[in-house]
Amino acid sequence: MWFLAALIIPCLLVLLFARVTYNRYIALLLTIALLVASYVKGYTDELHEIVADIASTITGFLLAGRMLDNIKK
């Protein structure tokens, strides 16, 4: 269950923040800040969940770039 959330939620967060700020770098920074805060609080403690978070964040960053290019056209 948590693994599926780790695959989906960071990607959606990057897309949401990119849509709000119109900047994918700021969206990436905000998402990473939330992920680091959850790691520090101890909500994520297994390596495969951290790897899934990173992969999902990268995917969201790439999709946010495409989304913002389409918005600017």
Side-chain angles (χ1 to χ4, degrees), residues 37-56:
S38 72
Y39 299 154
V40 169
K41 291 289 273 185
Y43 296 125
T44 304
D45 56 353
E46 296 191 25
L47 183 62
H48 67 278
E49 290 176 356
I50 294 171
V51 171
D53 282 337
I54 293 169
S56 179

Side-chain angles (χ1 to χ4, degrees), residues 7-27:
L7 283 175
I8 296 170
I9 293 174
C11 180
L12 294 177
L13 279 174
V14 173
L15 292 175
L16 173 73
F17 290 145
R19 183 69 179 168
V20 171
T21 63
Y22 293 105
N23 189 334
R24 67 180 179 165
Y25 297 106
I26 293 175

